[in-house]
Amino acid sequence: MERRLAAILAADVVGYSRLMGANEVGTLTAMREIRTGLIDEAIGDAGGRIVKLMGDGILAEFTSVVGALESALAIQHAMDTRNADVPEDRQIRFRIGINIGDVVVEDDDIFGDGVNIAARIEALARPGGIAVSGAVRDQVGKRLDVAFDSAGEPPLKNIDEPVPVFHVAPRPSEPHSTAGAPASLPSIAVLPFTNMSGDPEQEYFADGITEDLITDLSKLSGLFVVGRNSAFVYKGTPVNLQEIARNLGVRHILEGSVRKSGNRIRITGQLIDGVTGGHLWADRYDRDLSDIFALQDEITKTIIDQLQVRLLETDTPDRTKAENAGAYTHYLKGRQLYHMRTRRLMEQARTHFFKALEHDPNYARAYVGLADCESRLNDWYGCEYPPEDILALTHRALELEPGMAEAHAANGLALQLAGRDDEARQAYETALAHDPLCYEAHHYFARFLQVTQEFEKCAYHFLRALEIKPDDYRSPLLIVSVYHALGRTEEADRYMALGLKRAEEAAGADPKNSDPIELGASVLAAHGDKVKARDWLERAIAIDPDRSFTSGYNIACTYAQLGEAEIALDWLESIAGNLGQSQRKWMRTDPDFNSLHDHMRFKRLIDPSL
């Protein structure tokens, strides 16, 4: 074994688990491009060598400590430039730590305290920043135009001797050097609040409190908040808060519990420093349910104060206030059921939204939920909810809360149903202007753009949808045909694999819902995997033999792709009368039915006058 003195650079991706959970295909592709187009060159040009690459990490060795720091600065500067036009929630940012010390070399790998200290220091670096040991600071001195900000001598795991740590900062004379600049953005993840009521039926209530706190905090400028679905990965699992903070790429964690009994509620909350694991704030609130919105505002404001962030907004976000607990409770139940997408559960969701409005006729979010339910029930299942009545619901929601992105997205969906496509497009764009992270706006707009065959824009919005909602199986499966239309077959294959994986997970979570299996079957058939497509098709029919949950549209798609035209047409004829105007447009342009275009039965479905 060889021993030598070396400068060691350790780096990892901030929030890698979150990025992979949102879009593992896009994250792996981006990481591959970053490594080949940036990291290899930056380390090689500075006289270093990459010792090993992990999924989210890099270990490199340099003979010169100045070269190591120059390499780190080049990487962070290039990443800042790369991220300039990337939405904040999908930016790839590195933490980098540098140390100098003795290493043991064996089979081109390196070991020893010098390496361990570099790794521990990297964990202390700010997102997008660089941290170094005191020995590195001393050797670099003034040879590079950077400043060193002391972080003291924080305890380093499994390192006995104290190690001075410094954050590297650009000097004022280098306004374009941005190593460490993103560190100014405070960040937080709100973990799912624990239901302490002893009643599993109250789970939706604890989840609703969590989601509303995430929504409120997300509306504050100057604060990065991890999205609902990334945070909910940790629901019901043992938690190591420091590890979660690292995985999600945040500095702070909010966790808590909810105990609901009758019209009384107790909420506990604690704010944790994700680096040290220390408590910044903890409190308990006992209230009547009629105070729930004021209580959420109080918790949100307290968090902001504790983070000591000077935000542009001085107050907590405005929102429609339900006047009583009943409205809020029914809204939460309705939202939970609507997200399950099946006909029977959407009808139940609609009932809950109505009950919410009976309690509070001015509850904007209940109008949005009701409109979305009726749009989908009309378009997919032939339920008689006139588009004009649905538009009246969305207009009422917008009167009550003009800036609600979900209300504008619901308005777009209703306009599409009414055949007013130009206005629908404008509504979707308005929704995204209000909230670029609105899942419904991206997904609804992508489906709209697929029909108009604006494939590049369509792909972008499907990608944003699947990133914002990491359990969304529809967007990655629907994007497959979009990428085929664009001639990007490798990406189509990757997203098909991602979509099938998510569809299996969705089916496991809700075994009575055949929708993910139906959609997966149609994509497999389109891809030419007939054996697996038939297997999924049989599963879908077995789950829902009387079609009480889904319309059977994707079963028709699958049979058409399998070359069984007559069976496909039988299915289409049985459901065509239930399809709304928007879904009929989708059917006309659906590539799954290309093989049927010359068939007279299909022509009559498109044009009944034939």
Side-chain angles (χ1 to χ4, degrees):
M1 289 187 293
E2 176 190 353
R3 282 187 174 275
R4 62 180 177 231
L5 185 67
I8 306 102
L9 180 151
D12 79 345
V13 176
V14 177
Y16 185 72
S17 297
R18 169 176 56 81
L19 293 165
M20 286 289 287
N23 184 356
E24 62 187 62
V25 176
T27 300
L28 289 172
T29 302
M31 285 297 297
R32 193 178 304 116
E33 294 172 353
I34 290 167
R35 284 168 180 165
T36 57
L38 166 61
I39 290 172
D40 290 353
E41 182 178 345
I43 291 175
D45 287 352
R49 75 176 183 96
I50 295 176
V51 177
K52 56 187 171 186
L53 294 169
M54 292 73 76
D56 64 339
I58 305 157
L59 182 66
E61 177 191 24
F62 297 78
T63 56
S64 162
V65 71
V66 173
L69 185 50
E70 284 180 329
S71 174
L73 289 165
I75 290 170
Q76 297 293 42
H77 181 72
M79 289 305 299
D80 184 70
T81 301
R82 180 187 183 280
N83 285 330
D85 297 322
V86 177
E88 189 174 281
D89 64 305
R90 69 197 296 192
Q91 291 178 3
I92 293 176
R93 294 185 291 165
F94 289 98
R95 290 187 181 95
I96 300 179
I98 302 175
N99 181 43
I100 184 168
D102 282 331
V103 298
V104 176
V105 184
E106 184 176 352
D107 296 331
D108 286 332
D109 204 348
I110 56 176
F111 306 91
D113 279 351
V115 177
N116 294 338
I117 291 172
R120 300 292 182 254
I121 290 173
E122 172 261 302
L124 299 174
R126 298 160 178 160
I130 304 165
V132 302
S133 65
V136 171
R137 193 281 306 263
D138 294 343
Q139 290 213 20
V140 171
K142 296 183 178 179
R143 286 185 282 177
L144 295 176
D145 197 10
V146 295
F148 297 94
D149 296 334
S150 176
E153 296 181 353
L156 304 180
K157 185 178 179 180
N158 297 329
I159 305 297
D160 295 331
E161 296 296 321
V163 177
V165 175
F166 294 84
H167 294 294
V168 179
R171 294 191 184 278
S173 60
E174 293 185 14
H176 299 295
S177 177
T178 55
S184 62
L185 187 69
S187 54
I188 189 169
V190 183
L191 297 186
F193 275 40
T194 304
N195 170 27
M196 302 293 289
S197 302
D199 179 4
E201 289 295 317
Q202 296 298 332
E203 199 72 26
Y204 74 91
F205 194 86
D207 290 350
I209 293 289
T210 308
E211 292 177 16
D212 284 344
L213 286 170
I214 291 172
T215 299
D216 285 355
L217 288 167
S218 297
K219 292 178 181 177
L220 297 165
S221 64
L223 181 65
F224 174 75
V225 183
V226 169
R228 182 260 187 210
N229 288 285
S230 294
F232 269 68
V233 168
Y234 298 98
K235 179 179 171 64
T237 61
V239 293
N240 178 317
L241 296 180
Q242 288 169 279
E243 183 179 340
I244 290 174
R246 183 175 179 80
N247 289 342
L248 294 175
V250 296
R251 177 61 189 264
H252 302 95
I253 296 284
L254 177 69
E255 65 168 0
S257 64
V258 177
R259 185 186 299 274
K260 181 174 177 282
S261 178
N263 202 44
R264 295 287 294 174
I265 185 170
R266 170 176 290 179
I267 294 180
T268 63
Q270 54 183 354
L271 187 65
I272 308 297
D273 186 311
V275 175
T276 68
H279 286 67
L280 300 177
W281 159 81
D283 211 338
R284 185 181 76 188
Y285 302 86
D286 291 297
R287 298 284 196 281
D288 289 331
L289 271 174
S290 57
D291 297 333
I292 188 65
F293 293 100
L295 176 55
Q296 287 171 216
D297 286 343
E298 183 179 345
I299 295 173
T300 303
K301 186 177 187 304
T302 302
I303 293 166
I304 296 165
D305 292 342
Q306 291 295 326
L307 291 176
Q308 297 181 338
V309 179
R310 191 172 183 177
L311 304 175
L312 292 180
E313 295 91 349
T314 57
D315 298 317
T316 51
D318 290 335
R319 59 180 167 184
T320 302
K321 306 291 186 181
E323 293 180 352
N324 51 62
Y328 186 60
T329 299
H330 282 295
Y331 166 73
L332 292 178
K333 286 182 178 178
R335 180 170 60 178
Q336 180 191 40
L337 293 166
Y338 172 74
H339 286 162
M340 295 181 181
R341 294 181 175 273
T342 66
R343 174 176 181 168
R344 185 184 302 165
L345 295 177
M346 277 196 288
E347 288 172 340
Q348 292 178 22
R350 179 175 176 271
T351 299
H352 281 294
F353 291 132
F354 259 123
K355 289 181 178 178
L357 291 172
E358 288 173 5
H359 284 279
D360 181 3
N362 295 319
Y363 197 9
R365 291 191 291 180
Y367 283 105
V368 171
L370 188 58
D372 278 340
C373 282
E374 293 191 356
S375 288
R376 286 309 190 199
L377 288 167
N378 177 308
D379 206 28
W380 293 349
Y381 302 109
C383 298
E384 295 183 3
Y385 301 120
E388 295 76 15
D389 292 350
I390 302 173
L391 283 168
L393 296 172
T394 63
H395 291 166
R396 179 58 178 150
L398 288 169
E399 286 175 5
L400 292 166
E401 195 160 345
M404 183 190 290
E406 292 84 355
H408 287 284
N411 192 45
L413 192 62
L415 287 165
Q416 220 179 312
L417 193 64
R420 295 158 60 178
D421 286 356
D422 289 344
E423 293 171 83
R425 181 191 296 269
Q426 185 176 358
Y428 292 139
E429 290 172 346
T430 302
L432 292 169
H434 281 289
D435 181 5
L437 295 178
C438 178
Y439 165 78
E440 289 82 3
H442 282 291
H443 186 79
Y444 297 167
F445 197 19
R447 286 178 58 92
F448 175 93
L449 294 165
Q450 188 162 3
V451 173
T452 60
Q453 300 189 340
E454 297 170 70
F455 294 125
E456 286 286 357
K457 286 183 68 176
C458 173
Y460 169 78
H461 289 289
F462 271 139
L463 282 175
R464 294 300 288 132
L466 70 89
E467 289 168 344
I468 292 165
K469 195 172 187 296
D471 59 354
D472 171 24
Y473 58 86
R474 286 177 165 268
S475 296
L477 289 175
L478 292 173
I479 206 174
V480 172
S481 64
V482 178
Y483 276 138
H484 277 301
L486 292 168
R488 293 155 63 175
T489 55
E490 285 189 12
E491 288 170 278
D493 291 346
R494 292 179 188 137
Y495 280 101
M496 183 180 77
L498 176 62
L500 292 174
K501 175 185 173 185
R502 290 188 179 184
E504 285 279 24
E505 291 169 351
D510 185 7
K512 293 182 179 180
N513 183 5
S514 66
D515 182 72
I517 303 302
E518 280 188 26
L519 184 56
S522 68
V523 173
L524 284 164
H527 191 69
D529 192 343
K530 295 187 177 182
V531 173
K532 197 168 184 180
R534 286 188 184 279
D535 176 57
W536 280 51
L537 181 61
E538 290 172 7
R539 287 172 62 191
I541 293 173
I543 291 169
D544 194 13
D546 60 358
R547 316 308 318 143
S548 61
F549 276 93
T550 51
S551 69
Y553 181 90
N554 288 312
I555 290 179
C557 292
T558 306
Y559 278 121
Q561 294 288 350
L562 291 172
E564 300 185 28
E566 297 301 326
I567 299 177
L569 287 163
D570 288 344
W571 276 89
L572 277 179
E573 287 173 348
S574 71
I575 66 173
N578 294 331
L579 300 181
Q581 184 172 176
S582 177
Q583 188 64 18
R584 282 181 172 277
K585 287 182 180 177
W586 180 279
M587 185 177 75
R588 291 188 191 104
T589 59
D590 194 333
D592 286 356
F593 297 134
N594 285 347
S595 63
L596 304 181
H597 283 182
D598 293 330
H599 202 295
M600 183 53 68
R601 290 174 67 188
F602 186 78
K603 290 180 179 180
R604 289 196 185 102
L605 287 172
I606 299 299
D607 184 0
S609 65
L610 292 175

